[in-house]
Amino acid sequence: MSPDVPDAIVLRNVTRSYSTGVDVVTAAHELNFNAMRGEFVCVLGASGSGKTTLLNLIAGLDRPDNGSIRVNDREITGLSDKELTRFRLAEMGVVFQDHNLIDEFTARENVMLPLEVAGVPWGEASSQAERQLAAVGIEDLGNRFPRQLSGGQRQRVGIARALVGGRHVLLADEPTGALDSANSRALFEVLRVLCEAGTCVVLATHDPLAQQFADAVYAMTDGNLSRAQTRS
């Protein structure tokens, strides 16, 4: 990855702690993190290591106790809840182990939903959804309902929905957690292709297979983040 490529995500000295009622747990301890545009970054760690907290902080779904978080060159820590919602809709998408698709909507209609919420006319929303489904390799499945798709296909629909509308930052929290090894590999390959097209992907996972596709790998343990390797 060229050093001239701008950063999509920058965290500086970010800390987040929670009170359990008995003690205080630091889920994120003075995190420093960079992810460039077009870069596939993998964050490896066991359950409870702080990976989800990291993604929630980047997405603005959680707020840090201190530190700076910049996404696409905008400081997000001071934004209101409404501003954060608008920012996510315009700039980044999030996918989870549970795809969270609407069962009564087709794949295309699920992908169209963020655009329709943003006021995009139906015809344009449909066209953009078709293009985004093609980008994740399932352009022929737009008329199927979630129950008619495999687990891997449903996750691809979720990724398409997360990126439709020109968003180029994707945060993925254990998206292969419910998939077998073959479907996990196929999904990582899709994420790799999206990165080659300019998307910044930050993947939180416990699956070591992801390292084969990532440009950079971080290890997270007890709220601490360390860089593990860089793709040659």
Side-chain angles (χ1 to χ4, degrees):
M1 187 74 64
S2 169
D4 296 328
V5 177
D7 287 314
I9 301 168
V10 180
L11 275 65
R12 290 291 177 264
N13 302 314
V14 172
T15 296
R16 182 68 170 105
S17 298
Y18 304 93
S19 174
T20 66
V22 177
D23 54 15
V24 175
V25 175
T26 301
H29 180 67
E30 295 185 1
L31 302 184
N32 289 286
F33 176 86
N34 290 63
M36 293 183 290
R37 296 177 188 178
E39 187 175 26
F40 189 162
V41 180
C42 172
V43 181
L44 283 172
S47 178
S49 62
K51 305 189 305 299
T52 295
T53 296
L54 169 64
L55 294 193
N56 286 345
L57 288 166
I58 296 171
L61 298 171
D62 197 359
R63 294 182 181 268
D65 300 327
N66 51 57
S68 170
I69 303 172
R70 298 186 69 83
V71 180
N72 288 342
D73 207 31
R74 183 171 184 183
E75 177 67 41
I76 69 169
T77 53
L79 298 181
S80 68
D81 289 344
K82 286 186 177 180
E83 288 172 330
L84 281 168
T85 298
R86 288 196 296 268
F87 184 74
R88 278 192 298 270
L89 189 60
E91 301 287 343
M92 59 181 160
V94 186
V95 292
F96 303 94
Q97 179 174 331
D98 185 345
H99 51 77
N100 292 317
L101 301 180
I102 298 174
D103 291 337
E104 294 77 17
F105 287 8
T106 64
R108 183 187 301 103
E109 290 167 340
N110 268 282
V111 177
M112 290 171 60
L113 186 58
L115 299 175
E116 294 183 291
V117 169
V120 176
W122 188 92
E124 175 59 23
S126 180
S127 296
Q128 288 195 43
E130 289 283 359
R131 290 194 293 271
Q132 200 62 57
L133 287 169
V136 297
I138 53 170
E139 60 271 27
D140 56 335
L141 302 180
N143 290 325
R144 293 192 186 182
F145 291 92
R147 65 180 178 275
Q148 298 172 315
L149 301 172
S150 69
Q153 290 167 344
R154 288 193 292 268
Q155 282 293 35
R156 293 189 191 209
V157 175
I159 291 169
R161 184 177 61 184
L163 293 177
V164 74
R167 287 173 284 179
H168 293 291
V169 173
L170 178 67
L171 309 176
D173 191 3
E174 298 283 7
T176 64
L179 303 181
D180 60 25
S181 59
N183 279 302
S184 293
R185 177 176 290 276
L187 194 66
F188 293 145
E189 289 172 347
V190 167
L191 296 177
R192 179 73 248 165
V193 170
L194 291 171
C195 289
E196 299 294 344
T199 299
C200 172
V201 174
V202 180
L203 168 74
T205 183
H206 65 272
D207 188 345
L209 178 63
Q211 297 176 84
Q212 297 180 22
F213 301 88
D215 296 301
V217 177
Y218 286 80
M220 195 150 198
T221 307
D222 298 329
N224 294 286
L225 193 65
S226 59
R227 186 134 182 177
Q229 76 178 49
T230 301
R231 187 183 179 93
S232 59

